[in-house]
Amino acid sequence: MDYRELVSHGDLHYNHTVKRSEGGLPIGNGRMGSLVWTSPSALKFQINRADVYANDCNTNSFNQRHTDYAYASAFVDIDFVDFGADVFQDESIRQQLSLYDGIASIRGDEVKVEAFASAHQDVFGVRVLDEREEPQGINIKLKMLRPAEVVTKNHSAVSTLSMVNEMIVLKQVFQEGSHYCSSAVVIGIYGREGRARMNDEFGGREPVGRYRKSQVIGQPNETEMRLCLKPGQGTFDIFIGSAASFDEEEDVVAVAIKQVQQALNTGLDHMLKEHKAWWNQFWEKSYIHLSSEDGTAEFVELHYTYYLYLMASNSRGALYPPNFGGMLLSPRGDLRHWGAMHWWNNMNLYYNAVLPSGHNELFQPYFNMYTGMYDSCVKAAEQQWGSKGIYIPEVVTFNGLEELPDDIAEEMRDLYLLRKPWDQMSDRFRDFANPKRPHESRWNWKYLEKYVDGQFQYVERGFGPFGFTTHMFGTQVGIAYHYWLYYEYTKDEAWLRERAYPIISGAAEFFRHFPNLKKDVDGTYNIYHTTSDEKYYDGKNTMDSMAAMHTIFPVLLKAAQILDTDEELRPVWQELYDNLAPLPRSDEPDAVLRTEKGEPVVWVGAIGPVLDNKSNVDLKPGRFGDLSSLETAYDRPELYETTLATIKYYETLIDHDWGRAAYEMSGTGRVLAHMGLAEPFKQVVLAQLECVNAEREYCYFADTGRVKFFDNRLTVREGVNCLSIQRLGNAAAALQSALCQSQPPGPGKESVIRVFPACPADWEGEFSLWCHGGFNVTSSIREGVVSFVRIHSTLGGTCRVRNPWGEAEVNWIQEGSQPVTMKGSLLVFNTLAGNDYELIRG
């Protein structure tokens, strides 16, 4: 495989300037990132970091929606023009993002720039070639994101400009109560003489605070500092470093300076060589290569490659994952629509395609964050719900949930579990809730804010304690299942014991002890007063909670058996699972959607009545917890048939136009691929990526209106400064499932590999992807026929493969051995770690 040729299919090429900063070229190293865009005279960056948070779970200062902020550290402009012709113009500019090398290149009028985010240091390297006959002075501007001192209720944000060892520095400090977070951006140059200036004149004031060896420049109201470079032709290098810390004792400026100084000492060429080597090696882990006469296969392939580039640029080597809206690429400051908290139903769309790619390292920031908040989630389960285990809400701060005063926690339990009428809420509780963020799941019954006679008030949603996400409990099982899948792919028992098992058992124990999970007179366990996917308020057996329980308990039982632990609890868990009510269906007397007698039964969102009178089918079993897939037909055919019937019912609702199912957050493409439905899968993924329908008009997404992507294939579906790759993540996961599945017939059961289960008839291609058990699978398809299946076993163990040629005989070839003939629809064989195996039609 020529990886450079393959990966370059996904490169960005612009022969124009971008009309909005959101269309810039993305670069990042997983901790630090930026879009790179131009104005007519300048190259622009916004330095973002995954570990910069203006506030934490204890904040009382941002009770208006969309006002809390995070991630950004500085604006940086490289301005090439004082007086003279602009250098970046539509008729002459050429811009490229090389995915294979991780480099953004921009050529203007006699000016060339290369920029990259070092794979090993938190430093951007920028090489400038100035070939102008009359070169001008170049100003590198380091700019604050807001005024130098901002106070919002109990929160303060203070920014300071300074100069240290001929480098310019911007430090910002956020404080509220015990929360402290600081960041620093440092810029140094090599190969050109420069001088630091404020907007007026190089001037100083008395140094303050810890940095008395530095010179604090200008007056407190000045928000910009310049590094003015002497005019000249030729090449010079710019290094932009950053650092952040939650430790008030850590000298964050010194850390950033050290990184830039190291880059200056070793040089950009050395840093670039190491950077390219990392990216080139990254692409050899796996691949997908597709072709078709109509070009649709190539189109989907390049978006898949681009998705992997963006994940590697935004999620690795950090304590925290990127926020789903904006990631490390926001260009308009640190105020983002939907705020700074993490929304799992959005964020998980970024990660569902990671493990089959083999890039397990991209998942680590996600796991780091949720493991890090474990203790607070234990306390939240007890305080908020009177339960045990852990409670991870749908919308949560990076460090978990605030510990509540005992009296507030007691009243919260009474209100939220419907033991106390909502209209009897105490003034004490309402006053406590008033300064809390309304997006946070815990307080999500608060809705639109307004001022009445100068007093700040909320309009509630009107469903008592039920907000969009207050009573959604499937999130924590979705998170726990990602931990379990990591084990399934790696078979790392230490990971299972130390990282995964506490989350898995915690999520299960929350349900077991949840006060509104009850064993009814018919002997089944039913859950009351919950919601599902931001609807079906106050439902019984909502799909969100039931799918979660049907997923987590068999996984917990399997994990406990592997680890030989909690032997006394296993019968308790087994009894609950054995008697758990089924997933909600349309044949239940009070189902929110009832099918007519004689019609196929379908999945629904809840058993009613519900407060919001919603009624629709629910495809969650096809995309959550491996509850339903092609393999389920062999183990639980009734579940498989219900999922198929639900798909057919849904198809009638969208008038047989699968493009209407392709809104940005839709996981329908994955469901269709899981069920082996190739043509519908293709229609959904193409509509999701193109955002157009068959008439080439922009799709009308029912939940958002018309959506268009920018030049860089990113969207702002979620609002201002909220760049998203949700559609790319959805399409990537669906594509992987269409080409190669490694799914069990149900949660906790033995996985089976399938190749090309939902590949469109007019596509040809080849892939190398990763499957459960540490198996790297390579296969190709030509004219609808699978050519071969090659399996590299990294861990050894039993491999199960669904026969790609139906019931035909298969030659099983182990390296160094004679072929063995195998028969049947399921091929099972033992493997040795490090060995290769090949399956060829007999």
Side-chain angles (χ1 to χ4, degrees):
M1 178 59 62
D2 185 339
Y3 290 101
R4 180 178 289 278
E5 170 66 22
L6 174 64
V7 173
S8 67
H9 296 168
D11 287 359
L12 296 178
H13 297 274
Y14 303 167
N15 294 327
H16 56 82
T17 58
V18 296
K19 305 310 177 188
R20 285 178 55 172
S21 55
E22 288 91 340
L25 303 176
I27 58 175
N29 65 5
R31 300 175 302 276
M32 169 184 177
S34 179
L35 291 179
V36 182
W37 71 99
T38 63
S39 69
S41 65
L43 189 70
K44 294 176 175 286
F45 301 76
Q46 178 178 303
I47 312 305
N48 299 301
R49 291 188 59 89
D51 51 1
V52 172
Y53 286 91
N55 54 75
D56 70 355
C57 63
N58 297 297
T59 182
N60 280 316
S61 300
F62 298 94
N63 58 341
Q64 289 183 271
R65 297 172 305 151
H66 317 304
T67 59
D68 56 332
Y69 49 93
Y71 309 107
S73 298
F75 293 116
V76 175
D77 294 352
I78 304 173
D79 199 331
F80 293 92
V81 181
D82 275 335
F83 179 83
D86 289 329
V87 294
F88 299 122
Q89 304 181 76
D90 266 345
E91 58 270 19
S92 57
I93 194 171
R94 297 293 181 269
Q95 304 187 61
Q96 179 188 3
L97 176 67
S98 167
L99 305 189
Y100 186 71
D101 291 324
I103 299 174
S105 304
I106 300 177
R107 178 192 292 267
D109 290 330
E110 300 179 306
V111 170
K112 301 176 185 176
V113 181
E114 280 191 347
F116 63 96
S118 170
H120 301 289
Q121 302 165 254
D122 286 352
V123 177
F124 289 131
V126 184
R127 173 155 288 174
V128 177
L129 174 58
D130 191 340
E131 299 178 308
R132 291 175 289 186
E133 291 186 8
E134 297 182 4
Q136 301 182 43
I138 297 174
N139 289 293
I140 304 172
K141 300 176 180 178
L142 181 58
K143 301 188 292 185
M144 297 179 188
L145 298 157
R146 65 191 72 78
E149 297 180 6
V150 175
V151 175
T152 306
K153 299 172 184 168
N154 303 310
H155 170 271
S156 67
V158 178
S159 302
T160 309
L161 292 163
S162 62
M163 180 180 68
V164 180
N165 300 332
E166 300 181 350
M167 294 180 277
I168 55 176
V169 179
L170 170 58
K171 180 186 178 185
Q172 62 179 2
V173 175
F174 303 114
Q175 287 183 292
E176 180 179 354
S178 61
H179 175 70
Y180 174 92
C181 182
S182 64
S183 71
V185 174
V186 175
I187 303 177
I189 57 171
Y190 178 84
R192 184 67 59 90
E193 184 179 346
R195 187 179 184 189
R197 293 184 184 274
M198 294 299 291
N199 286 337
D200 49 2
E201 179 55 48
F202 194 142
R205 59 186 174 90
E206 181 65 23
V208 295
R210 186 177 296 130
Y211 303 104
R212 295 189 179 276
K213 293 184 179 179
S214 67
Q215 186 171 17
V216 180
I217 304 299
Q219 299 301 315
N221 63 339
E222 291 170 335
T223 61
E224 178 181 309
M225 191 174 187
R226 293 176 292 153
L227 196 54
C228 304
L229 309 190
K230 183 177 180 180
Q233 292 183 324
T235 299
F236 66 93
D237 300 326
I238 304 169
F239 298 95
I240 306 169
S242 73
S245 178
F246 296 99
D247 183 357
E248 194 168 357
E249 298 303 315
E250 184 172 12
D251 190 340
V252 72
V253 170
V255 174
I257 289 173
K258 183 179 180 180
Q259 293 190 99
V260 173
Q261 192 62 61
Q262 180 182 347
L264 288 165
N265 293 341
T266 59
L268 189 139
D269 288 330
H270 177 77
M271 191 167 77
L272 182 58
K273 182 180 178 181
E274 290 186 334
H275 171 80
K276 285 183 176 181
W278 187 92
W279 274 104
N280 298 170
Q281 187 177 23
F282 173 85
W283 294 113
E284 295 182 8
K285 191 75 173 180
S286 63
Y287 65 85
I288 291 176
H289 181 32
L290 301 172
S291 63
S292 62
E293 288 189 8
D294 63 2
T296 57
E298 291 90 340
F299 177 77
V300 175
E301 174 210 293
L302 73 87
H303 281 84
Y304 174 77
T305 305
Y306 187 55
Y307 156 81
L308 288 179
Y309 169 82
L310 289 171
M311 286 302 294
S313 299
N314 285 274
S315 180
R316 59 184 163 95
L319 285 175
Y320 305 104
N323 186 282
F324 84 91
M327 303 170 287
L328 302 182
L329 305 176
S330 288
R332 294 177 178 261
D334 55 5
L335 275 172
R336 301 180 178 193
H337 209 68
W338 303 113
M341 289 180 286
H342 291 273
W343 302 61
W344 183 81
N345 267 288
N346 300 86
M347 184 171 64
N348 88 93
L349 306 182
Y350 288 26
Y351 288 93
N352 290 325
V354 165
L355 293 173
S357 75
H359 295 295
N360 301 341
E361 71 279 7
L362 305 185
F363 237 133
Q364 295 309 318
Y366 173 102
F367 292 135
N368 290 341
M369 181 179 75
Y370 286 117
T371 294
M373 66 175 70
Y374 179 86
D375 289 342
S376 81
C377 295
V378 170
K379 191 67 176 178
E382 173 195 340
Q383 285 200 311
Q384 185 167 342
W385 300 107
S387 189
K388 297 185 182 300
I390 59 172
Y391 167 58
I392 308 177
E394 164 64 17
V395 186
V396 67
T397 312
F398 73 97
N399 65 336
L401 296 91
E402 173 188 20
E403 184 171 343
L404 301 171
D406 289 342
D407 64 323
I408 295 295
E410 181 179 4
E411 185 168 1
M412 177 177 280
R413 292 192 297 273
D414 288 340
L415 290 168
Y416 287 23
L417 293 169
L418 277 71
R419 299 187 300 220
K420 178 179 181 178
W422 187 247
D423 59 8
Q424 293 182 19
M425 179 192 297
S426 70
D427 291 340
R428 155 81 169 143
F429 189 88
R430 189 173 295 278
D431 290 343
F432 187 87
N434 188 62
K436 304 304 180 183
R437 292 169 293 184
H439 283 150
E440 186 178 358
S441 291
R442 179 175 268 177
W443 309 106
N444 194 228
W445 47 267
K446 300 194 296 183
Y447 194 32
L448 299 174
E449 58 269 12
K450 63 178 182 178
Y451 281 89
V452 178
D453 297 329
Q455 296 295 314
F456 185 79
Q457 296 181 6
Y458 283 100
V459 175
E460 295 182 14
R461 297 191 187 277
F463 300 113
F466 295 97
F468 285 134
T469 64
T470 51
H471 291 68
M472 282 173 53
F473 302 123
T475 291
Q476 56 202 14
V477 172
I479 294 165
Y481 201 66
H482 276 151
Y483 278 79
W484 170 251
L485 286 178
Y486 189 90
Y487 167 75
E488 287 277 53
Y489 277 88
T490 64
K491 298 301 179 184
D492 184 342
E493 198 165 306
W495 162 271
L496 180 61
R497 185 180 302 278
E498 297 164 14
R499 299 291 297 274
Y501 194 75
I503 302 293
I504 292 168
S505 59
E509 285 290 88
F510 174 85
F511 280 107
R512 184 168 75 91
H513 293 278
F514 185 64
N516 285 333
L517 177 71
K518 300 175 181 178
K519 193 170 188 179
D520 290 345
V521 293
D522 64 355
T524 63
Y525 287 94
N526 298 268
I527 193 166
Y528 295 86
H529 309 307
T530 68
T531 64
S532 187
D533 293 330
E534 302 189 7
K535 52 183 179 287
Y536 306 120
Y537 302 127
D538 198 15
K540 171 187 173 183
N541 291 352
T542 56
M543 180 61 82
D544 182 81
S545 292
M546 295 307 295
M549 286 190 283
H550 277 277
T551 295
I552 198 63
F553 281 104
V555 166
L556 174 59
L557 288 163
K558 180 70 174 291
Q561 180 185 10
I562 293 169
L563 298 175
D564 192 22
T565 189
D566 285 334
E567 187 172 357
E568 72 286 356
L569 283 173
R570 284 187 235 168
V572 178
W573 295 329
Q574 188 70 58
E575 188 274 337
L576 194 160
Y577 179 55
D578 289 342
N579 294 287
L580 188 59
L583 299 175
R585 307 193 317 179
S586 60
D587 57 348
E588 292 278 354
D590 294 321
V592 293
L593 173 70
R594 289 278 295 162
T595 49
E596 297 295 328
K597 186 176 181 180
E599 289 185 332
V601 175
V602 299
W603 302 123
V604 299
I607 307 302
V610 293
L611 297 178
D612 51 341
N613 297 317
K614 299 286 187 180
S615 63
N616 205 341
V617 296
D618 197 313
L619 288 170
K620 193 162 191 171
R623 60 178 169 82
F624 188 90
D626 290 319
L627 288 169
S628 181
S629 67
L630 286 167
E631 279 305 309
T632 312
Y634 293 88
D635 188 71
R636 295 183 63 187
E638 74 288 351
L639 196 154
Y640 169 80
E641 293 295 337
T642 303
T643 304
L644 275 183
T646 308
I647 290 171
K648 291 177 182 178
Y649 190 100
Y650 182 61
E651 188 175 24
T652 64
L653 297 179
I654 58 175
D655 198 24
H656 302 277
D657 177 7
W658 283 105
R660 294 176 60 185
Y663 60 92
E664 186 162 7
M665 281 186 66
S666 171
T668 304
R670 288 176 61 212
V671 174
L672 298 170
H674 287 167
M675 300 300 289
L677 301 173
E679 190 56 33
F681 146 77
K682 176 183 174 182
Q683 293 177 33
V684 168
V685 168
L686 286 176
Q688 206 158 36
L689 294 177
E690 291 182 312
C691 294
V692 295
N693 58 25
E695 288 73 38
R696 311 299 293 179
E697 297 174 349
Y698 288 111
C699 279
Y700 187 84
F701 290 167
D703 64 338
T704 60
R706 296 185 183 274
V707 175
K708 187 182 185 302
F709 48 85
F710 294 100
D711 310 74
N712 55 18
R713 307 175 189 136
L714 305 179
T715 67
V716 284
R717 169 196 183 271
E718 305 291 351
V720 176
N721 207 28
C722 205
L723 284 164
S724 166
I725 64 167
Q726 293 172 95
R727 71 191 183 98
L728 301 183
N730 271 318
L735 176 63
Q736 290 169 338
S737 292
L739 303 182
C740 182
Q741 295 179 14
S742 83
Q743 289 182 300
K749 298 186 177 182
E750 299 298 336
S751 298
V752 177
I753 296 169
R754 286 176 178 264
V755 297
F756 299 106
C759 182
D762 57 341
W763 286 11
E764 295 187 344
E766 181 178 328
F767 68 79
S768 177
L769 292 169
W770 291 80
C771 294
H772 296 185
F775 297 112
N776 180 222
V777 178
T778 304
S779 186
S780 72
I781 192 168
R782 298 286 182 269
E783 297 181 351
V785 179
V786 176
S787 309
F788 66 91
V789 180
R790 185 175 301 118
I791 298 171
H792 177 68
S793 176
T794 61
L795 305 172
T798 302
C799 184
R800 296 170 179 82
V801 181
R802 194 59 65 181
N803 190 336
W805 302 282
E807 298 285 342
E809 289 187 351
V810 175
N811 286 330
W812 176 75
I813 305 170
Q814 179 180 0
E815 55 181 331
S817 303
Q818 291 295 315
V820 175
T821 300
M822 305 182 74
K823 297 180 180 180
S825 66
L826 182 63
L827 311 175
V828 182
F829 51 93
N830 293 322
T831 70
L832 298 175
N835 279 17
D836 291 315
Y837 304 86
E838 190 160 356
L839 302 175
I840 300 176
R841 186 168 184 169

